[in-house]
Amino acid sequence: MLEIENLSKHYGDVKAVQNLDLTIEPGEILCMLGANGAGKTTTLMVALGFTEPTAGTVRIRGVDVTQDPLEAKRHVAYVSENVMLYGNFTARQNLDFFTKLGGKKDASDADYAQVLGRVGLQEDAFNRRVKGFSKGIRQKLGIAIAIMKDAKVILLDEPTSGLDSKSGVEFLQLLADLRTEGKAIWMTTHDIFRAKGIADRVGIMVSGRLVQVLTRRGLEQQDLEALYVQYVSQPTEQAA
Ligand SMILES: Nc1ncnc2c1ncn2[C@@H]1O[C@H](COP(=O)(O)OP(=O)(O)O)[C@@H](O)[C@H]1O
Ligand SMILES: [Mg+2]
């Protein structure tokens, strides 16, 4: 579903991503941990076609994102740390705008209402301007946009940072539901506790390299927090 093969991305001397190999299957959530500057966002930027790889490929449903960016983009949704919404538009108008921008022109008002309800918006909020919405609701609107697009691959970059615990739990439940529907999900997070709670696999990036991928079984057998601290406290030369 999402296939990253021998991906490298350099900015001058900075090796933001080095020889990254990773596949995420349908119905799987991968959580990526890594210190600031580890290369997590850069990987997503390449996968989204915002920047070209220095070497290697990213394929989404078999489509190379560099060779055929428009086709690849049809199958991927992106939820950033601060979901971009128009403050003066209502929740429904934002959903309509971004759904059409994503290429789906035939969604009805009933579709929008159904999805807004699914992500947990109260009906009286559908037609309120998003300007006053909490971060939790904004992030859930990001999920609503991804659901409307019916993207098979969902990439999330620290989507739960700054959410209170109730919103965080609700947000992760939405991701778990999407997993059940067969989406392939990458979520970057700094929250080891949440990663352990939801991930099918947890990756750790250090200085552009994917140094560890733990399955559920590995997560049960190892102390993720201790392992992570051990990796991030290594001198960079060792990691590189
Ligand atoms: N557009 C850019 N130009 C130059 N360097 C960049 C750019 N984007 C990211 N970097 C560098 O690449 C490295 C990885 O950054 P990033 O992917 O944002 O890490 P993370 O998301 O894991 O915090 C960092 O050293 C960062 O400074
Ligand atoms: Mg980042």
Side-chain angles (χ1 to χ4, degrees):
M1 194 59 59
L2 173 69
E3 296 163 279
I4 301 172
E5 212 177 287
N6 200 24
L7 178 70
S8 294
K9 174 70 188 183
H10 301 171
Y11 295 106
D13 289 340
V14 178
K15 294 178 175 165
V17 181
Q18 301 188 63
N19 307 100
L20 178 62
D21 282 302
L22 182 67
T23 297
I24 306 180
E25 300 293 345
E28 184 181 37
I29 297 177
L30 178 123
C31 286
M32 190 61 82
L33 299 175
N36 291 334
K40 306 177 300 293
T41 298
T42 301
T43 305
L44 297 186
M45 291 301 109
V46 175
L48 289 160
F50 290 145
T51 184
E52 293 204 352
T54 305
T57 52
V58 179
R59 281 188 298 273
I60 289 174
R61 292 188 95 196
V63 179
D64 185 320
V65 301
T66 310
Q67 308 256 317
D68 196 350
L70 288 179
E71 177 60 19
K73 278 190 184 73
R74 289 183 46 214
H75 304 292
V76 61
Y78 174 54
V79 179
S80 61
E81 183 179 353
N82 293 294
V83 169
M84 222 284 277
L85 298 166
Y86 290 97
N88 282 325
F89 287 5
T90 67
R92 191 194 297 258
Q93 285 169 335
N94 270 283
L95 186 56
D96 179 50
F97 178 81
F98 286 106
T99 298
K100 288 184 174 143
L101 199 62
K104 190 172 164 69
K105 315 278 184 199
D106 58 350
S108 68
D109 259 7
D111 295 331
Y112 293 138
Q114 193 265 330
V115 170
L116 290 171
R118 171 172 166 186
V119 299
L121 253 74
Q122 303 294 315
E123 240 181 279
D124 64 354
F126 293 4
N127 295 314
R128 277 218 306 271
R129 292 180 186 200
V130 307
K131 212 164 9 195
F133 283 0
S134 69
K135 182 158 185 197
I137 296 185
R138 296 175 68 93
Q139 295 307 90
K140 288 173 191 167
L141 278 172
I143 294 289
I145 293 165
I147 292 172
M148 283 306 304
K149 190 170 180 182
D150 196 22
K152 302 299 181 246
V153 174
I154 304 178
L155 306 176
L156 306 102
D157 201 353
E158 303 187 32
T160 58
S161 80
L163 295 195
D164 61 54
S165 47
K166 180 169 177 283
S167 304
V169 167
E170 290 166 358
F171 188 90
L172 293 190
Q173 184 55 51
L174 292 172
L175 287 191
D177 295 344
L178 289 167
R179 163 171 58 196
T180 308
E181 292 170 16
K183 312 297 191 191
I185 298 170
W186 161 311
M187 178 171 82
T188 302
T189 179
H190 285 292
D191 190 331
I192 292 178
F193 178 74
R194 281 179 181 151
K196 247 179 7 198
I198 194 164
D200 298 292
R201 285 185 297 154
V202 172
I204 300 175
M205 282 183 80
V206 179
S207 306
R209 291 186 187 277
L210 182 61
V211 294
Q212 181 71 255
V213 181
L214 291 152
T215 60
R216 282 248 53 105
R217 198 190 166 131
L219 290 168
E220 280 155 23
Q221 290 169 345
Q222 299 205 48
D223 180 348
L224 179 60
E225 193 152 18
L227 189 68
Y228 180 63
V229 168
Q230 189 189 319
Y231 273 118
V232 296
S233 53
Q234 277 175 0
T236 15
E237 303 87 272
Q238 238 177 295

